[in-house]
């Protein structure tokens, strides 16, 4: 049987994607900010909580991103009348331009990656990748969003505990389940 190094190829695609993004220019915003800006543009007046929910990230993570985007003048916060603690978010012209540039780079990169593929082949690749993800999911990771999965990977797997034990411990630490 012929050896197929699918994992190695996927890893190389990930590395080449990162390299492509870095070479796109110093003024390119991070992909997470692009997605946040696109959401804010499509939902003027949304809250930080709305953005966090849409991007499946923690409120603390989005708060830092919002501060950076506000400092870069990509968005502005408007205090809602009657509630000084509630802010609505609005994208600025500078934010629209930054988001559009980043989206163009991503679209270009995707087109380059799929160059020479027919529409049917593109659909097949997408379907096969979805099946690979499904095959690798476990009862533990199936309900996780990418942010939670990244956090699990970032923390590293303790070789003395199973993945199930680690996730249970993490949920207990967050107060999602009792630890008894």
């Amino acid at each position: 049987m012929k050896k197929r190094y699918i994992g190695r190829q996927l890893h190389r695609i990930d590395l080449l994607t990162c390299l492509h993004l870095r070479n796109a220019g110093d003024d390119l915003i991070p992909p997470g900010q692009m997605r946040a800006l696109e959401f804010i543009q499509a939902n003027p007046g949304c809250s930080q909580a709305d953005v966090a929910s849409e991007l499946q990230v923690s409120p603390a993570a989005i708060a830092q991103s919002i501060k950076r985007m506000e400092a870069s003048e990509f968005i502005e916060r408007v205090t809602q009348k009657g509630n000084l603690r509630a802010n609505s978010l609005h994208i600025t012209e500078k934010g629209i331009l930054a988001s559009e540039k980043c989206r163009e780079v991503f679209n270009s990169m995707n087109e380059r990656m799929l160059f020479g593929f027919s529409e049917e082949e593109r659909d097949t690749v997408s379907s096969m990748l979805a099946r690979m993800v499904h095959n690798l999911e476990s009862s533990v990771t199936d309900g996780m969003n990418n942010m939670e999965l990244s956090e699990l990977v970032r923390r590293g797997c303790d070789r003395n505990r199973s993945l199930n034990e680690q996730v249970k411990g993490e949920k207990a630490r967050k107060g999602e389940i009792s630890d008894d």
Side-chain angles (χ1 to χ4, degrees):
M1 177 152 79
K2 181 179 175 184
K3 287 186 178 182
R4 292 180 180 87
Y5 299 101
I6 304 296
R8 188 180 300 167
Q9 291 169 329
L10 292 172
H11 181 64
R12 186 158 181 90
I13 288 170
D14 185 47
L15 293 171
L16 289 168
T17 300
C18 290
L19 183 64
H20 186 77
L21 291 175
R22 284 206 178 126
N23 289 336
D26 292 336
D27 61 338
L28 190 69
I29 60 174
Q33 282 190 13
M34 176 193 67
R35 291 180 22 239
L37 289 171
E38 288 176 340
F39 179 78
I40 294 167
Q41 184 176 5
N43 300 279
C46 62
S47 68
Q48 278 185 216
D50 296 332
V51 179
S53 176
E54 174 67 20
L55 300 184
Q56 298 181 337
V57 298
S58 70
I62 203 62
Q64 289 300 315
S65 187
I66 295 291
K67 283 180 186 176
R68 284 191 294 274
M69 289 188 288
E70 189 176 29
S72 298
E73 300 177 348
F74 294 151
I75 62 165
E76 56 186 23
R77 289 191 238 204
V78 177
T79 304
Q80 295 179 358
K81 292 179 182 172
N83 187 350
L84 298 177
R85 291 175 42 169
N87 294 305
S88 59
L89 304 174
H90 301 271
I91 193 167
T92 65
E93 189 62 34
K94 188 175 178 181
I96 291 170
L97 293 173
S99 174
E100 287 175 349
K101 178 181 179 186
C102 192
R103 175 55 60 200
E104 287 173 16
V105 168
F106 268 86
N107 289 346
S108 170
M109 182 179 56
N110 283 334
E111 284 304 311
R112 183 174 175 186
M113 189 176 350
L114 296 170
F115 178 76
F117 287 64
S118 68
E119 283 301 313
E120 184 179 341
E121 289 171 322
R122 289 172 183 227
D123 289 342
T124 300
V125 167
S126 181
S127 175
M128 287 179 171
L129 289 171
R131 283 174 50 199
M132 287 181 205
V133 168
H134 176 76
N135 291 343
L136 290 173
E137 291 285 4
S138 70
S139 61
V140 174
T141 61
D142 191 30
M144 289 182 172
N145 61 42
N146 285 348
M147 185 66 162
E148 292 166 331
L149 186 56
S150 293
E151 180 65 17
L152 181 64
V153 171
R154 187 186 69 75
R155 288 182 181 268
C157 291
D158 181 345
R159 304 219 189 292
N160 296 323
R161 294 189 321 169
S162 72
L163 181 61
N164 288 335
E165 290 171 333
Q166 289 179 67
V167 171
K168 184 179 177 186
E170 183 66 19
K171 287 182 177 182
R173 186 184 68 76
K174 290 180 179 178
E176 295 173 14
I177 60 172
S178 63
D179 200 18
D180 37 6

